[in-house]
Amino acid sequence: MSPSAETASGDDVEVPNNKSRVTVVGSGNWGSVAAKLIASNTLKLSSFHDEVRMWVFEEVLPSGEKLSEENVKYLPGIKLGRNVVAVPDLEHAVRDANMLVFVAPHQLMEGLCRRLVGKIRADAEAISLIKGMEVKMEGPCMISTLITEQLGINCCVLMGANIANEIAVEKFSEATVGYRENKEIAEKWVRLFSTPYFMVSACQDVEGVELCGTLKNVVAIAAGFVDGLEMGNNTKARQSAAIMRMGLREMKAFSQLLFSSVKDSTFFESCGVADLITTCLGGRNRKCADAFARNGGKKSFDELEAEILQGQKLQGVLTAKEVYEVLRHRGWLELFPLFRTVHEICIGRLPPTAIVEYSQS
Amino acid sequence: MSPSAETASGDDVEVPNNKSRVTVVGSGNWGSVAAKLIASNTLKLSSFHDEVRMWVFEEVLPSGEKLSEENVKYLPGIKLGRNVVAVPDLEHAVRDANMLVFVAPHQLMEGLCRRLVGKIRADAEAISLIKGMEVKMEGPCMISTLITEQLGINCCVLMGANIANEIAVEKFSEATVGYRENKEIAEKWVRLFSTPYFMVSACQDVEGVELCGTLKNVVAIAAGFVDGLEMGNNTKARQSAAIMRMGLREMKAFSQLLFSSVKDSTFFESCGVADLITTCLGGRNRKCADAFARNGGKKSFDELEAEILQGQKLQGVLTAKEVYEVLRHRGWLELFPLFRTVHEICIGRLPPTAIVEYSQS
């Protein structure tokens, strides 16, 4: 990664118009890995401009290092590629791009979108790698919908096993691109992300794919609670299986109640059962929830996030709250005991052991 | 369980014709648990005759005890219910029954069916709890089809988490009844098996349900191999997830290639993903495969079955062989690397570590 001031491929260089220009909006753990994947492909594929801009929310670390110089905070030791250009100015970062990759923390997305209105190309296409939803008075709004509504551009999603550090070291992973109508654009995103160790396929069900990616983190929190409780290995295996099976059931029911267009077959894509199993057996949602249960709920998620995630927010905990709001608002609390119980444990209303009482029924 | 000679509800007692009479054909571990479930319901439901006959392949144990007296071999310490009548004579066991529950070892089924021709009621309905298939020159034949073809009667299937010992001690489990056309019969089987701790539902896809129940045992063998290898916990979790996700993919592809009628939605029933996860995280297929890998493949499955299963055959190992025969015969070996690798490890052609090499790709 090079700070933009030092790169040879700066603003003044003319590039052919038919080449796509990619900007990654976000530079956390997953954003940096996405930039790495993309940058390896733009070098190889002639339809893309080599340079990948990455908008970096500028932070000066205690050591005096700037995040735009090396992503020492979120992905230390991983080379993103010399063609990744860190750009601290948002407007500058997105100005020329016709392919925008959104991977910022989802609680920042509304504000980000507001800042981007009128600043992006009219022909831009977007993809969201963000898990979560905005809960508003009029109902839940998926992040892809937020982007489309606020910026007036089409938005696909890419969801898969959220274990960025494993992808960073090139362990095999899978993901699914969800799209609404334009299959060609979906296939372009597939080409941009696919590598020999990152297998991507397309699926015409944007809400289904996005909800799989989002809701699986809530189930992973439940699986983590089970892992952190004192139980024999056999009981633990039984309980984990029960959690995954009930989690899948609630994920599917919740998605199809919210969007009747969500297809059964989407759950067989990489973003579905496969990712659910991977995330429940590994990943940071499971890990932090395990630590939460081990401490008997006496250490809050805020504290654990500070310790284990260097202050990044745990997606599953946020999503559990959002899902709970939807359930409460629609009168569905009784229909989704697992989702409900996870949130009530997260906020300390129930003890971590409640996950087991629930999953026996 | 009472030996038939001593029961008060023997042959001479007249019962109203409209009450269904149930016979369980098979008395192993799972057969005994099935008899226990059924017997608790026939006492409660007025549409069934109280007595449940269970055909017991008579064995005299080294201790001098007869299996027809107490199922000390396969289910010691578990009371099956006083209305379960053990009958060593096959013809006598099935004579009056209009509901036949098949739960014998599947390699005995062809012979058993031949012995039953002309001995059963013309209006009998059957259900098969048997996992596996008969591989013949003309192609694979599911056990339910074998029963229908040889005996000329309709046959449903019941498949679910195959952890009989847990159901025996009344831990919560789930199962699916697969049926071909007659939904009323399927619902009658559901009533006969359902208890507060055993949740049963019906699904119109007999081949799909039967193949889920059958093929998941092959995946569980693969999951067991992974567990038995020397690996860090994180790597193991990753590998288990990879095995389950590839296993699900091969289960679905194999089922739908063999029977185009198999529905996607069947994999969301209890017999599908739910049972796959449960079986891969627990159960005896996983357990024995774990032991096999721990021994570096130096102890054969025959030896392990003798040690761990008191000589019962491991279903997944038999099924892996059957599936391999189908793959080889149809030229599909390249399409199903997981199924293929499991069999090649089971027969010693590949080392247990081959499961990992495969699941990385």
Side-chain angles (χ1 to χ4, degrees):
Chain A
M1 175 164 75
S2 342
S4 59
E6 294 165 26
T7 176
S9 51
D11 298 340
D12 304 326
V13 181
E14 281 292 318
V15 291
N17 277 332
N18 57 345
K19 289 207 175 198
S20 290
R21 274 183 165 274
V22 186
T23 290
V24 177
V25 181
S27 57
N29 184 245
W30 187 204
S32 304
V33 173
K36 176 180 189 283
L37 288 169
I38 291 168
S40 74
N41 282 324
T42 56
L43 286 181
K44 286 184 207 136
L45 301 170
S46 61
S47 51
F48 295 93
H49 192 279
D50 284 358
E51 180 187 293
V52 176
R53 289 189 190 173
M54 179 163 76
W55 175 60
V56 178
F57 183 74
E58 187 67 286
E59 295 180 61
V60 181
L61 297 179
S63 61
E65 292 166 295
K66 283 185 172 180
L67 266 195
S68 64
E69 283 164 7
E70 190 196 319
N71 207 334
V72 286
K73 179 166 173 188
Y74 297 117
L75 209 64
I78 300 291
K79 295 255 173 288
L80 300 189
R82 59 177 169 75
N83 55 326
V84 176
V85 179
V87 181
D89 179 70
L90 179 61
E91 204 173 313
H92 177 190
V94 299
R95 192 170 54 197
D96 303 321
N98 63 324
M99 298 187 80
L100 298 171
V101 178
F102 287 95
V103 57
H106 95 280
Q107 57 277 27
L108 302 184
M109 280 304 293
E110 273 214 272
L112 258 179
C113 283
R114 267 198 303 273
R115 289 174 59 193
L116 287 174
V117 172
K119 312 293 189 199
I120 58 169
R121 281 172 56 169
D123 66 344
E125 285 281 340
I127 194 164
S128 167
L129 277 52
I130 301 161
K131 282 99 181 178
M133 57 184 84
E134 288 292 313
V135 180
K136 306 184 175 203
M137 286 302 289
E138 64 272 22
C141 175
M142 302 308 295
I143 303 298
S144 64
T145 309
L146 181 81
I147 292 169
T148 292
E149 287 181 355
Q150 298 220 6
L151 300 178
I153 57 177
N154 181 47
C155 189
C156 293
V157 298
L158 180 138
M159 299 284 147
N162 192 16
I163 305 178
N165 290 327
E166 303 218 331
I167 306 171
V169 294
E170 309 198 354
K171 289 203 179 167
F172 181 80
S173 298
E174 299 171 300
T176 308
V177 165
Y179 66 100
R180 203 170 296 280
E181 272 153 21
N182 190 334
K183 193 175 180 187
E184 272 176 41
I185 291 294
E187 284 171 351
K188 194 167 175 183
W189 288 118
V190 167
R191 284 195 301 279
L192 187 61
F193 280 95
S194 296
T195 70
Y197 59 89
F198 192 63
M199 198 178 78
V200 187
S201 53
C203 167
Q204 189 176 10
D205 181 0
V206 68
E207 282 93 359
V209 173
E210 194 165 1
L211 278 160
C212 277
T214 297
L215 297 172
K216 60 124 196 269
N217 287 327
V218 181
V219 186
I221 297 276
F225 288 154
V226 164
D227 281 346
L229 296 174
E230 296 278 338
M231 284 191 281
N233 278 342
N234 282 344
T235 311
K236 197 165 283 189
R238 246 191 94 72
Q239 286 295 330
S240 299
I243 293 291
M244 284 191 246
R245 129 185 127 209
M246 291 173 189
L248 177 64
R249 196 185 295 152
E250 293 195 9
M251 282 170 64
K252 188 162 164 286
F254 186 80
S255 303
Q256 294 180 333
L257 274 174
L258 279 188
F259 301 97
S260 59
S261 60
V262 170
K263 301 173 188 167
D264 277 10
S265 58
T266 300
F267 294 85
F268 294 116
E269 301 289 335
S270 301
C271 64
V273 179
D275 190 9
L276 174 68
I277 294 172
T278 306
T279 310
C280 285
L281 296 183
R284 59 194 190 180
N285 285 284
R286 194 212 60 75
K287 187 176 169 187
C288 289
D290 180 330
F292 183 88
R294 243 172 250 286
N295 285 296
K298 289 191 192 74
K299 205 175 256 190
S300 73
F301 272 108
D302 284 340
E303 292 172 85
L304 291 168
E305 284 159 359
E307 279 176 26
I308 302 175
L309 304 179
Q310 289 85 44
Q312 287 190 91
K313 300 304 287 179
L314 199 59
Q315 205 54 62
V317 173
L318 293 171
T319 304
K321 181 179 191 308
E322 291 155 357
V323 168
Y324 190 89
E325 283 306 307
V326 175
L327 298 180
R328 201 176 50 79
H329 188 253
R330 305 223 171 180
W332 294 346
L333 280 170
E334 299 303 314
L335 297 175
F336 295 91
L338 180 66
F339 286 168
R340 174 192 186 156
T341 303
V342 169
H343 176 63
E344 292 182 339
I345 294 171
C346 286
I347 60 170
R349 195 181 295 160
L350 290 174
T353 48
I355 204 71
V356 174
E357 285 156 43
Y358 157 65
S359 69
Q360 291 288 14
S361 65
Chain B
M1 175 163 78
S2 341
S4 60
E6 294 166 25
T7 179
S9 52
D11 297 340
D12 304 329
V13 181
E14 282 291 318
V15 290
N17 277 334
N18 58 345
K19 290 209 175 200
S20 290
R21 276 183 164 272
V22 186
T23 290
V24 176
V25 181
S27 58
N29 184 247
W30 186 206
S32 305
V33 174
K36 175 180 189 284
L37 288 168
I38 292 168
S40 73
N41 281 323
T42 57
L43 286 181
K44 286 183 206 139
L45 301 170
S46 60
S47 53
F48 296 93
H49 191 278
D50 283 357
E51 179 186 293
V52 176
R53 291 188 189 174
M54 179 164 77
W55 175 61
V56 177
F57 183 75
E58 188 67 287
E59 296 179 61
V60 181
L61 297 178
S63 61
E65 292 166 294
K66 281 185 173 181
L67 268 196
S68 63
E69 283 165 6
E70 189 195 322
N71 206 334
V72 286
K73 179 168 174 187
Y74 296 117
L75 209 63
I78 301 290
K79 296 257 174 283
L80 300 190
R82 58 179 168 73
N83 54 328
V84 176
V85 179
V87 181
D89 179 70
L90 179 62
E91 203 173 318
H92 177 189
V94 300
R95 192 171 54 195
D96 303 320
N98 63 326
M99 297 187 82
L100 298 170
V101 178
F102 287 95
V103 58
H106 95 278
Q107 56 276 26
L108 302 185
M109 279 304 295
E110 273 214 271
L112 257 179
C113 283
R114 266 197 304 273
R115 287 174 60 194
L116 288 174
V117 172
K119 313 291 188 201
I120 59 170
R121 279 170 58 167
D123 66 345
E125 285 282 339
I127 194 165
S128 167
L129 277 52
I130 301 161
K131 281 99 180 177
M133 56 184 85
E134 288 291 312
V135 180
K136 306 185 173 199
M137 287 300 290
E138 63 273 23
C141 175
M142 302 309 295
I143 303 299
S144 63
T145 308
L146 180 82
I147 291 168
T148 293
E149 286 180 354
Q150 296 219 6
L151 300 178
I153 57 177
N154 182 45
C155 188
C156 293
V157 298
L158 180 140
M159 300 283 147
N162 191 17
I163 304 179
N165 291 326
E166 303 218 332
I167 305 170
V169 293
E170 309 197 354
K171 290 202 179 168
F172 181 80
S173 297
E174 299 171 299
T176 308
V177 165
Y179 67 99
R180 203 170 295 279
E181 273 153 20
N182 190 333
K183 194 174 180 186
E184 272 177 43
I185 291 295
E187 285 170 351
K188 192 167 176 182
W189 288 117
V190 167
R191 285 196 299 279
L192 187 62
F193 279 95
S194 297
T195 71
Y197 58 90
F198 193 63
M199 197 178 80
V200 186
S201 55
C203 167
Q204 189 176 11
D205 181 1
V206 68
E207 282 93 359
V209 173
E210 193 166 4
L211 277 161
C212 275
T214 297
L215 297 172
K216 60 123 199 267
N217 287 328
V218 181
V219 186
I221 296 276
F225 288 154
V226 164
D227 281 345
L229 295 174
E230 296 279 338
M231 283 193 281
N233 278 342
N234 282 343
T235 311
K236 197 166 284 186
R238 247 193 92 73
Q239 286 295 330
S240 299
I243 293 292
M244 285 190 244
R245 129 187 127 208
M246 292 174 188
L248 177 63
R249 195 185 297 152
E250 293 194 9
M251 281 170 65
K252 186 161 165 286
F254 185 81
S255 302
Q256 293 181 333
L257 273 173
L258 279 188
F259 300 97
S260 60
S261 60
V262 170
K263 301 173 188 168
D264 277 9
S265 58
T266 300
F267 294 83
F268 294 116
E269 301 289 335
S270 301
C271 64
V273 179
D275 190 10
L276 174 68
I277 294 172
T278 307
T279 309
C280 284
L281 296 183
R284 59 194 191 181
N285 285 284
R286 197 212 59 77
K287 187 176 170 187
C288 289
D290 181 332
F292 183 88
R294 245 173 248 287
N295 284 297
K298 291 192 189 74
K299 204 176 254 190
S300 73
F301 273 107
D302 283 340
E303 292 171 86
L304 291 168
E305 284 158 359
E307 279 176 25
I308 302 175
L309 304 179
Q310 289 85 43
Q312 287 189 90
K313 298 305 286 178
L314 199 59
Q315 205 54 61
V317 173
L318 293 171
T319 304
K321 182 179 192 305
E322 292 155 357
V323 168
Y324 191 89
E325 283 305 308
V326 174
L327 298 180
R328 202 176 51 79
H329 188 253
R330 305 225 172 178
W332 293 346
L333 279 170
E334 298 303 315
L335 297 176
F336 294 91
L338 181 66
F339 286 168
R340 174 191 186 157
T341 304
V342 169
H343 176 64
E344 293 182 338
I345 295 172
C346 285
I347 60 171
R349 194 183 295 161
L350 290 174
T353 49
I355 203 70
V356 175
E357 286 157 42
Y358 156 65
S359 68
Q360 291 287 14
S361 64

